[in-house]
Amino acid sequence: MARTALVVDDSTTMQEMVSFTLSKAGFDVTRASNGQEALTRANGQKFDLVITDLNMPVMDGLTLIKSLRTLPTFKFTPVLMLTTETGDDRKQQGRAAGATGWLTKPFDSDKLLAVVKKVLP
């Protein structure tokens, strides 16, 4: 059975690039364009991995992560932040919210898959 991933980014291009990379690695990918849409998709569905942008309209990535962590099915799900933000204060906020890891855009597909392999059992 294919592993599942939820990719959240307000940029359709970014969604497509991350989805393509994960699909090639055997993932079944669901996409959302903001945190609220992602939360709606996450309700009642289990994902093996979540990759989210930080800065998005409606609901940002940090709020999404905090919200996901309150759901029993997402308590231990790896959540990777994929963003242009590189500041240590933002990374600290991400960790505090419950992010498993932090990747910087533009991303390298091999690096992304290496991090995914590290965080998935």
Side-chain angles (χ1 to χ4, degrees):
M1 193 168 122
R3 288 188 175 235
T4 55
L6 177 59
V7 174
V8 191
D9 202 302
D10 55 326
S11 159
T12 306
T13 306
M14 206 62 197
Q15 279 184 33
E16 287 170 356
M17 291 185 334
V18 175
S19 297
F20 179 74
T21 300
L22 291 174
S23 295
K24 273 192 2 188
F27 280 84
D28 186 6
V29 180
T30 298
R31 297 176 357 185
S33 53
N34 63 60
Q36 188 59 58
E37 190 182 323
L39 202 54
T40 301
R41 294 193 196 295
N43 262 320
Q45 192 171 350
K46 174 109 177 70
F47 291 97
D48 297 309
L49 173 72
V50 178
I51 298 179
T52 183
D53 187 14
L54 177 59
N55 301 307
M56 297 178 287
V58 188
M59 181 191 287
D60 69 3
L62 291 175
T63 306
L64 169 63
I65 293 171
K66 288 177 191 165
S67 302
L68 286 174
R69 291 298 186 214
T70 66
L71 303 173
T73 48
F74 287 90
K75 212 171 203 50
F76 303 107
T77 302
V79 179
L80 299 176
M81 186 69 76
L82 178 61
T83 179
T84 54
E85 302 266 351
T86 57
D88 286 337
D89 57 330
R90 294 305 257 169
K91 290 179 183 177
Q92 184 52 46
Q93 288 175 326
R95 276 193 291 276
T100 312
W102 194 279
L103 294 157
T104 309
K105 292 178 187 175
F107 76 98
D108 173 273
S109 54
D110 292 335
K111 197 180 285 183
L112 174 70
L113 293 175
V115 172
V116 166
K117 282 191 181 109
K118 273 187 196 160
V119 299
L120 284 175

mmCIF file of all heavy atoms in Angstrom, residues 46-90:
data_model
loop_
_atom_site.group_PDB
_atom_site.id
_atom_site.type_symbol
_atom_site.label_atom_id
_atom_site.label_comp_id
_atom_site.label_asym_id
_atom_site.label_seq_id
_atom_site.Cartn_x
_atom_site.Cartn_y
_atom_site.Cartn_z
ATOM 1 N N LYS A 46 -6.095 9.823 7.469
ATOM 2 C CA LYS A 46 -4.767 9.679 8.063
ATOM 3 C C LYS A 46 -3.721 9.845 6.961
ATOM 4 O O LYS A 46 -3.883 9.302 5.873
ATOM 5 C CB LYS A 46 -4.657 8.287 8.697
ATOM 6 C CG LYS A 46 -3.296 7.950 9.230
ATOM 7 C CD LYS A 46 -3.285 7.926 10.745
ATOM 8 C CE LYS A 46 -1.941 7.528 11.296
ATOM 9 N NZ LYS A 46 -0.881 8.498 11.134
ATOM 10 N N PHE A 47 -2.685 10.619 7.232
ATOM 11 C CA PHE A 47 -1.566 10.770 6.306
ATOM 12 C C PHE A 47 -0.297 10.299 6.996
ATOM 13 O O PHE A 47 -0.149 10.465 8.206
ATOM 14 C CB PHE A 47 -1.407 12.238 5.869
ATOM 15 C CG PHE A 47 -2.524 12.730 4.994
ATOM 16 C CD1 PHE A 47 -3.582 13.451 5.521
ATOM 17 C CD2 PHE A 47 -2.522 12.457 3.637
ATOM 18 C CE1 PHE A 47 -4.627 13.892 4.726
ATOM 19 C CE2 PHE A 47 -3.558 12.889 2.818
ATOM 20 C CZ PHE A 47 -4.605 13.616 3.360
ATOM 21 N N ASP A 48 0.620 9.722 6.233
ATOM 22 C CA ASP A 48 1.902 9.274 6.785
ATOM 23 C C ASP A 48 2.863 10.442 6.956
ATOM 24 O O ASP A 48 3.811 10.359 7.735
ATOM 25 C CB ASP A 48 2.546 8.229 5.861
ATOM 26 C CG ASP A 48 1.691 6.977 5.747
ATOM 27 O OD1 ASP A 48 1.297 6.442 6.801
ATOM 28 O OD2 ASP A 48 1.409 6.552 4.619
ATOM 29 N N LEU A 49 2.615 11.525 6.209
ATOM 30 C CA LEU A 49 3.533 12.657 6.178
ATOM 31 C C LEU A 49 2.773 13.922 5.790
ATOM 32 O O LEU A 49 1.875 13.869 4.960
ATOM 33 C CB LEU A 49 4.625 12.375 5.130
ATOM 34 C CG LEU A 49 5.619 13.478 4.795
ATOM 35 C CD1 LEU A 49 6.593 13.685 5.953
ATOM 36 C CD2 LEU A 49 6.400 13.107 3.530
ATOM 37 N N VAL A 50 3.174 15.051 6.397
ATOM 38 C CA VAL A 50 2.623 16.346 6.004
ATOM 39 C C VAL A 50 3.799 17.264 5.688
ATOM 40 O O VAL A 50 4.759 17.330 6.461
ATOM 41 C CB VAL A 50 1.763 16.982 7.132
ATOM 42 C CG1 VAL A 50 1.256 18.362 6.703
ATOM 43 C CG2 VAL A 50 0.592 16.077 7.505
ATOM 44 N N ILE A 51 3.751 17.932 4.543
ATOM 45 C CA ILE A 51 4.756 18.937 4.185
ATOM 46 C C ILE A 51 3.991 20.235 3.962
ATOM 47 O O ILE A 51 3.086 20.290 3.128
ATOM 48 C CB ILE A 51 5.544 18.544 2.919
ATOM 49 C CG1 ILE A 51 6.318 17.242 3.166
ATOM 50 C CG2 ILE A 51 6.499 19.677 2.511
ATOM 51 C CD1 ILE A 51 7.114 16.740 1.977
ATOM 52 N N THR A 52 4.346 21.266 4.740
ATOM 53 C CA THR A 52 3.599 22.517 4.654
ATOM 54 C C THR A 52 4.497 23.740 4.523
ATOM 55 O O THR A 52 5.606 23.768 5.052
ATOM 56 C CB THR A 52 2.667 22.693 5.883
ATOM 57 O OG1 THR A 52 1.911 23.895 5.734
ATOM 58 C CG2 THR A 52 3.444 22.746 7.195
ATOM 59 N N ASP A 53 3.986 24.716 3.820
ATOM 60 C CA ASP A 53 4.620 26.027 3.712
ATOM 61 C C ASP A 53 4.340 26.767 5.025
ATOM 62 O O ASP A 53 3.464 26.371 5.803
ATOM 63 C CB ASP A 53 3.982 26.772 2.522
ATOM 64 C CG ASP A 53 4.675 28.084 2.196
ATOM 65 O OD1 ASP A 53 5.793 28.321 2.687
ATOM 66 O OD2 ASP A 53 4.086 28.876 1.439
ATOM 67 N N LEU A 54 5.075 27.827 5.271
ATOM 68 C CA LEU A 54 4.861 28.628 6.473
ATOM 69 C C LEU A 54 3.870 29.759 6.189
ATOM 70 O O LEU A 54 2.831 29.865 6.821
ATOM 71 C CB LEU A 54 6.196 29.202 6.968
ATOM 72 C CG LEU A 54 6.129 30.130 8.177
ATOM 73 C CD1 LEU A 54 5.514 29.431 9.379
ATOM 74 C CD2 LEU A 54 7.516 30.642 8.522
ATOM 75 N N ASN A 55 4.195 30.612 5.219
ATOM 76 C CA ASN A 55 3.389 31.800 4.925
ATOM 77 C C ASN A 55 2.324 31.502 3.875
ATOM 78 O O ASN A 55 2.642 31.326 2.703
ATOM 79 C CB ASN A 55 4.295 32.934 4.440
ATOM 80 C CG ASN A 55 5.336 33.288 5.483
ATOM 81 O OD1 ASN A 55 5.012 33.542 6.632
ATOM 82 N ND2 ASN A 55 6.599 33.274 5.094
ATOM 83 N N MET A 56 1.070 31.433 4.338
ATOM 84 C CA MET A 56 -0.054 31.169 3.438
ATOM 85 C C MET A 56 -1.253 31.997 3.892
ATOM 86 O O MET A 56 -1.359 32.333 5.064
ATOM 87 C CB MET A 56 -0.457 29.683 3.493
ATOM 88 C CG MET A 56 0.607 28.720 3.021
ATOM 89 S SD MET A 56 0.069 26.998 3.172
ATOM 90 C CE MET A 56 0.133 26.751 4.955
ATOM 91 N N PRO A 57 -2.165 32.307 2.958
ATOM 92 C CA PRO A 57 -3.390 33.020 3.355
ATOM 93 C C PRO A 57 -4.318 32.087 4.142
ATOM 94 O O PRO A 57 -4.095 30.881 4.160
ATOM 95 C CB PRO A 57 -4.013 33.408 2.008
ATOM 96 C CG PRO A 57 -3.494 32.392 1.044
ATOM 97 C CD PRO A 57 -2.115 32.023 1.530
ATOM 98 N N VAL A 58 -5.334 32.628 4.755
ATOM 99 C CA VAL A 58 -6.372 31.932 5.523
ATOM 100 C C VAL A 58 -5.814 31.331 6.821
ATOM 101 O O VAL A 58 -6.226 31.702 7.893
ATOM 102 C CB VAL A 58 -7.138 30.856 4.701
ATOM 103 C CG1 VAL A 58 -8.321 30.327 5.497
ATOM 104 C CG2 VAL A 58 -7.586 31.403 3.365
ATOM 105 N N MET A 59 -4.884 30.385 6.711
ATOM 106 C CA MET A 59 -4.239 29.798 7.892
ATOM 107 C C MET A 59 -2.795 29.475 7.544
ATOM 108 O O MET A 59 -2.529 28.794 6.561
ATOM 109 C CB MET A 59 -4.954 28.522 8.332
ATOM 110 C CG MET A 59 -4.335 27.883 9.578
ATOM 111 S SD MET A 59 -4.964 26.218 9.944
ATOM 112 C CE MET A 59 -6.597 26.584 10.550
ATOM 113 N N ASP A 60 -1.860 29.984 8.350
ATOM 114 C CA ASP A 60 -0.438 29.741 8.062
ATOM 115 C C ASP A 60 0.008 28.355 8.535
ATOM 116 O O ASP A 60 -0.752 27.624 9.189
ATOM 117 C CB ASP A 60 0.438 30.843 8.672
ATOM 118 C CG ASP A 60 0.474 30.801 10.198
ATOM 119 O OD1 ASP A 60 -0.127 29.907 10.817
ATOM 120 O OD2 ASP A 60 1.136 31.678 10.779
ATOM 121 N N GLY A 61 1.232 27.998 8.188
ATOM 122 C CA GLY A 61 1.764 26.671 8.499
ATOM 123 C C GLY A 61 1.899 26.381 9.981
ATOM 124 O O GLY A 61 1.643 25.260 10.421
ATOM 125 N N LEU A 62 2.300 27.386 10.769
ATOM 126 C CA LEU A 62 2.452 27.168 12.213
ATOM 127 C C LEU A 62 1.108 26.862 12.868
ATOM 128 O O LEU A 62 0.997 25.950 13.685
ATOM 129 C CB LEU A 62 3.096 28.389 12.890
ATOM 130 C CG LEU A 62 4.564 28.648 12.555
ATOM 131 C CD1 LEU A 62 5.037 29.949 13.196
ATOM 132 C CD2 LEU A 62 5.442 27.489 12.991
ATOM 133 N N THR A 63 0.088 27.616 12.483
ATOM 134 C CA THR A 63 -1.252 27.384 13.021
ATOM 135 C C THR A 63 -1.760 26.008 12.588
ATOM 136 O O THR A 63 -2.369 25.280 13.380
ATOM 137 C CB THR A 63 -2.224 28.490 12.553
ATOM 138 O OG1 THR A 63 -1.662 29.758 12.889
ATOM 139 C CG2 THR A 63 -3.590 28.352 13.211
ATOM 140 N N LEU A 64 -1.480 25.634 11.350
ATOM 141 C CA LEU A 64 -1.865 24.311 10.848
ATOM 142 C C LEU A 64 -1.216 23.214 11.690
ATOM 143 O O LEU A 64 -1.886 22.279 12.124
ATOM 144 C CB LEU A 64 -1.470 24.146 9.376
ATOM 145 C CG LEU A 64 -1.596 22.713 8.823
ATOM 146 C CD1 LEU A 64 -3.048 22.230 8.861
ATOM 147 C CD2 LEU A 64 -1.037 22.635 7.416
ATOM 148 N N ILE A 65 0.084 23.331 11.929
ATOM 149 C CA ILE A 65 0.791 22.300 12.693
ATOM 150 C C ILE A 65 0.213 22.185 14.103
ATOM 151 O O ILE A 65 -0.071 21.087 14.585
ATOM 152 C CB ILE A 65 2.308 22.586 12.753
ATOM 153 C CG1 ILE A 65 2.921 22.451 11.354
ATOM 154 C CG2 ILE A 65 3.004 21.620 13.724
ATOM 155 C CD1 ILE A 65 4.364 22.922 11.258
ATOM 156 N N LYS A 66 0.005 23.330 14.758
ATOM 157 C CA LYS A 66 -0.579 23.309 16.108
ATOM 158 C C LYS A 66 -1.950 22.629 16.083
ATOM 159 O O LYS A 66 -2.271 21.835 16.970
ATOM 160 C CB LYS A 66 -0.727 24.733 16.656
ATOM 161 C CG LYS A 66 0.592 25.376 17.035
ATOM 162 C CD LYS A 66 0.368 26.815 17.495
ATOM 163 C CE LYS A 66 1.674 27.554 17.629
ATOM 164 N NZ LYS A 66 1.504 28.998 17.729
ATOM 165 N N SER A 67 -2.740 22.943 15.059
ATOM 166 C CA SER A 67 -4.088 22.353 14.935
ATOM 167 C C SER A 67 -4.009 20.853 14.681
ATOM 168 O O SER A 67 -4.766 20.078 15.275
ATOM 169 C CB SER A 67 -4.872 23.027 13.806
ATOM 170 O OG SER A 67 -4.974 24.408 14.043
ATOM 171 N N LEU A 68 -3.099 20.432 13.791
ATOM 172 C CA LEU A 68 -2.944 19.001 13.501
ATOM 173 C C LEU A 68 -2.519 18.231 14.751
ATOM 174 O O LEU A 68 -2.992 17.118 14.995
ATOM 175 C CB LEU A 68 -1.903 18.776 12.391
ATOM 176 C CG LEU A 68 -2.314 19.124 10.974
ATOM 177 C CD1 LEU A 68 -1.128 18.989 10.032
ATOM 178 C CD2 LEU A 68 -3.479 18.247 10.505
ATOM 179 N N ARG A 69 -1.618 18.825 15.532
ATOM 180 C CA ARG A 69 -1.100 18.139 16.723
ATOM 181 C C ARG A 69 -2.176 17.903 17.777
ATOM 182 O O ARG A 69 -1.999 17.094 18.666
ATOM 183 C CB ARG A 69 0.080 18.917 17.325
ATOM 184 C CG ARG A 69 1.339 18.893 16.458
ATOM 185 C CD ARG A 69 1.854 17.491 16.277
ATOM 186 N NE ARG A 69 3.134 17.465 15.562
ATOM 187 C CZ ARG A 69 3.484 16.504 14.723
ATOM 188 N NH1 ARG A 69 2.660 15.507 14.475
ATOM 189 N NH2 ARG A 69 4.655 16.532 14.128
ATOM 190 N N THR A 70 -3.309 18.615 17.693
ATOM 191 C CA THR A 70 -4.406 18.385 18.641
ATOM 192 C C THR A 70 -5.255 17.180 18.232
ATOM 193 O O THR A 70 -6.034 16.679 19.029
ATOM 194 C CB THR A 70 -5.327 19.620 18.771
ATOM 195 O OG1 THR A 70 -6.003 19.826 17.523
ATOM 196 C CG2 THR A 70 -4.545 20.859 19.165
ATOM 197 N N LEU A 71 -5.115 16.735 16.979
ATOM 198 C CA LEU A 71 -5.881 15.584 16.487
ATOM 199 C C LEU A 71 -5.125 14.298 16.827
ATOM 200 O O LEU A 71 -3.931 14.185 16.536
ATOM 201 C CB LEU A 71 -6.082 15.666 14.967
ATOM 202 C CG LEU A 71 -6.768 16.921 14.425
ATOM 203 C CD1 LEU A 71 -6.722 16.928 12.904
ATOM 204 C CD2 LEU A 71 -8.206 16.985 14.915
ATOM 205 N N PRO A 72 -5.807 13.301 17.429
ATOM 206 C CA PRO A 72 -5.130 12.054 17.817
ATOM 207 C C PRO A 72 -4.380 11.373 16.667
ATOM 208 O O PRO A 72 -3.286 10.860 16.874
ATOM 209 C CB PRO A 72 -6.281 11.166 18.308
ATOM 210 C CG PRO A 72 -7.386 12.102 18.656
ATOM 211 C CD PRO A 72 -7.221 13.309 17.784
ATOM 212 N N THR A 73 -4.927 11.408 15.451
ATOM 213 C CA THR A 73 -4.273 10.732 14.312
ATOM 214 C C THR A 73 -3.012 11.453 13.831
ATOM 215 O O THR A 73 -2.243 10.899 13.062
ATOM 216 C CB THR A 73 -5.239 10.587 13.116
ATOM 217 O OG1 THR A 73 -5.873 11.843 12.887
ATOM 218 C CG2 THR A 73 -6.275 9.513 13.362
ATOM 219 N N PHE A 74 -2.791 12.693 14.277
ATOM 220 C CA PHE A 74 -1.626 13.458 13.820
ATOM 221 C C PHE A 74 -0.639 13.768 14.944
ATOM 222 O O PHE A 74 0.288 14.541 14.763
ATOM 223 C CB PHE A 74 -2.063 14.764 13.136
ATOM 224 C CG PHE A 74 -2.657 14.531 11.782
ATOM 225 C CD1 PHE A 74 -4.017 14.316 11.638
ATOM 226 C CD2 PHE A 74 -1.854 14.475 10.655
ATOM 227 C CE1 PHE A 74 -4.576 14.064 10.393
ATOM 228 C CE2 PHE A 74 -2.399 14.220 9.407
ATOM 229 C CZ PHE A 74 -3.757 14.019 9.272
ATOM 230 N N LYS A 75 -0.851 13.136 16.109
ATOM 231 C CA LYS A 75 0.019 13.383 17.256
ATOM 232 C C LYS A 75 1.481 13.058 16.934
ATOM 233 O O LYS A 75 2.384 13.778 17.334
ATOM 234 C CB LYS A 75 -0.465 12.545 18.444
ATOM 235 C CG LYS A 75 -0.224 13.201 19.772
ATOM 236 C CD LYS A 75 -0.921 12.402 20.855
ATOM 237 C CE LYS A 75 -1.218 13.175 22.088
ATOM 238 N NZ LYS A 75 -1.871 14.450 21.958
ATOM 239 N N PHE A 76 1.707 11.964 16.189
ATOM 240 C CA PHE A 76 3.074 11.526 15.909
ATOM 241 C C PHE A 76 3.422 11.541 14.418
ATOM 242 O O PHE A 76 4.468 11.062 14.018
ATOM 243 C CB PHE A 76 3.306 10.121 16.486
ATOM 244 C CG PHE A 76 3.031 10.060 17.961
ATOM 245 C CD1 PHE A 76 1.899 9.418 18.437
ATOM 246 C CD2 PHE A 76 3.883 10.681 18.872
ATOM 247 C CE1 PHE A 76 1.625 9.382 19.811
ATOM 248 C CE2 PHE A 76 3.619 10.644 20.240
ATOM 249 C CZ PHE A 76 2.488 9.991 20.706
ATOM 250 N N THR A 77 2.544 12.087 13.596
ATOM 251 C CA THR A 77 2.797 12.158 12.153
ATOM 252 C C THR A 77 3.926 13.149 11.875
ATOM 253 O O THR A 77 3.891 14.274 12.372
ATOM 254 C CB THR A 77 1.518 12.639 11.416
ATOM 255 O OG1 THR A 77 0.462 11.739 11.719
ATOM 256 C CG2 THR A 77 1.745 12.685 9.911
ATOM 257 N N PRO A 78 4.945 12.738 11.086
ATOM 258 C CA PRO A 78 6.002 13.700 10.742
ATOM 259 C C PRO A 78 5.433 14.866 9.934
ATOM 260 O O PRO A 78 4.704 14.660 8.974
ATOM 261 C CB PRO A 78 6.977 12.880 9.885
ATOM 262 C CG PRO A 78 6.669 11.453 10.197
ATOM 263 C CD PRO A 78 5.214 11.409 10.546
ATOM 264 N N VAL A 79 5.765 16.080 10.375
ATOM 265 C CA VAL A 79 5.332 17.291 9.678
ATOM 266 C C VAL A 79 6.587 18.090 9.337
ATOM 267 O O VAL A 79 7.330 18.503 10.217
ATOM 268 C CB VAL A 79 4.388 18.158 10.541
ATOM 269 C CG1 VAL A 79 3.980 19.412 9.773
ATOM 270 C CG2 VAL A 79 3.151 17.371 10.972
ATOM 271 N N LEU A 80 6.827 18.289 8.041
ATOM 272 C CA LEU A 80 7.989 19.049 7.584
ATOM 273 C C LEU A 80 7.550 20.427 7.113
ATOM 274 O O LEU A 80 6.567 20.562 6.387
ATOM 275 C CB LEU A 80 8.685 18.319 6.428
ATOM 276 C CG LEU A 80 9.229 16.932 6.743
ATOM 277 C CD1 LEU A 80 9.796 16.301 5.478
ATOM 278 C CD2 LEU A 80 10.285 16.992 7.831
ATOM 279 N N MET A 81 8.278 21.436 7.536
ATOM 280 C CA MET A 81 8.022 22.805 7.111
ATOM 281 C C MET A 81 8.916 23.063 5.900
ATOM 282 O O MET A 81 10.127 22.825 5.965
ATOM 283 C CB MET A 81 8.375 23.750 8.268
ATOM 284 C CG MET A 81 8.040 25.179 8.056
ATOM 285 S SD MET A 81 6.275 25.553 8.023
ATOM 286 C CE MET A 81 5.830 25.487 9.731
ATOM 287 N N LEU A 82 8.333 23.489 4.790
ATOM 288 C CA LEU A 82 9.084 23.803 3.576
ATOM 289 C C LEU A 82 8.811 25.268 3.258
ATOM 290 O O LEU A 82 7.702 25.623 2.856
ATOM 291 C CB LEU A 82 8.640 22.901 2.420
ATOM 292 C CG LEU A 82 9.304 23.129 1.071
ATOM 293 C CD1 LEU A 82 10.812 22.899 1.134
ATOM 294 C CD2 LEU A 82 8.701 22.214 0.015
ATOM 295 N N THR A 83 9.816 26.121 3.473
ATOM 296 C CA THR A 83 9.578 27.563 3.400
ATOM 297 C C THR A 83 10.823 28.323 2.941
ATOM 298 O O THR A 83 11.927 27.770 2.939
ATOM 299 C CB THR A 83 9.118 28.081 4.785
ATOM 300 O OG1 THR A 83 8.899 29.487 4.729
ATOM 301 C CG2 THR A 83 10.146 27.766 5.863
ATOM 302 N N THR A 84 10.636 29.582 2.587
ATOM 303 C CA THR A 84 11.773 30.447 2.248
ATOM 304 C C THR A 84 12.389 31.023 3.518
ATOM 305 O O THR A 84 13.482 31.568 3.498
ATOM 306 C CB THR A 84 11.324 31.620 1.347
ATOM 307 O OG1 THR A 84 10.248 32.309 1.998
ATOM 308 C CG2 THR A 84 10.873 31.120 -0.016
ATOM 309 N N GLU A 85 11.680 30.920 4.634
ATOM 310 C CA GLU A 85 12.161 31.468 5.912
ATOM 311 C C GLU A 85 13.346 30.650 6.427
ATOM 312 O O GLU A 85 13.282 29.426 6.473
ATOM 313 C CB GLU A 85 11.046 31.431 6.965
ATOM 314 C CG GLU A 85 9.806 32.188 6.570
ATOM 315 C CD GLU A 85 9.785 33.608 7.080
ATOM 316 O OE1 GLU A 85 10.643 33.982 7.884
ATOM 317 O OE2 GLU A 85 8.879 34.346 6.670
ATOM 318 N N THR A 86 14.403 31.343 6.830
ATOM 319 C CA THR A 86 15.584 30.631 7.322
ATOM 320 C C THR A 86 16.003 31.071 8.723
ATOM 321 O O THR A 86 16.953 30.535 9.274
ATOM 322 C CB THR A 86 16.783 30.837 6.379
ATOM 323 O OG1 THR A 86 17.024 32.245 6.253
ATOM 324 C CG2 THR A 86 16.521 30.242 5.000
ATOM 325 N N GLY A 87 15.304 32.034 9.289
ATOM 326 C CA GLY A 87 15.671 32.564 10.607
ATOM 327 C C GLY A 87 15.529 31.546 11.724
ATOM 328 O O GLY A 87 14.585 30.760 11.733
ATOM 329 N N ASP A 88 16.485 31.559 12.651
ATOM 330 C CA ASP A 88 16.443 30.639 13.784
ATOM 331 C C ASP A 88 15.192 30.831 14.632
ATOM 332 O O ASP A 88 14.655 29.870 15.172
ATOM 333 C CB ASP A 88 17.695 30.801 14.667
ATOM 334 C CG ASP A 88 18.931 30.207 14.007
ATOM 335 O OD1 ASP A 88 18.772 29.323 13.130
ATOM 336 O OD2 ASP A 88 20.045 30.619 14.367
ATOM 337 N N ASP A 89 14.713 32.090 14.739
ATOM 338 C CA ASP A 89 13.504 32.333 15.526
ATOM 339 C C ASP A 89 12.296 31.646 14.895
ATOM 340 O O ASP A 89 11.467 31.074 15.594
ATOM 341 C CB ASP A 89 13.249 33.840 15.674
ATOM 342 C CG ASP A 89 13.139 34.559 14.329
ATOM 343 O OD1 ASP A 89 13.779 34.113 13.357
ATOM 344 O OD2 ASP A 89 12.415 35.578 14.258
ATOM 345 N N ARG A 90 12.224 31.649 13.565
ATOM 346 C CA ARG A 90 11.109 30.980 12.868
ATOM 347 C C ARG A 90 11.216 29.471 13.040
ATOM 348 O O ARG A 90 10.222 28.792 13.240
ATOM 349 C CB ARG A 90 11.101 31.338 11.376
ATOM 350 C CG ARG A 90 10.809 32.800 11.109
ATOM 351 C CD ARG A 90 9.523 33.258 11.740
ATOM 352 N NE ARG A 90 8.492 33.354 10.728
ATOM 353 C CZ ARG A 90 7.208 33.520 10.996
ATOM 354 N NH1 ARG A 90 6.796 33.602 12.237
ATOM 355 N NH2 ARG A 90 6.330 33.600 10.049
#
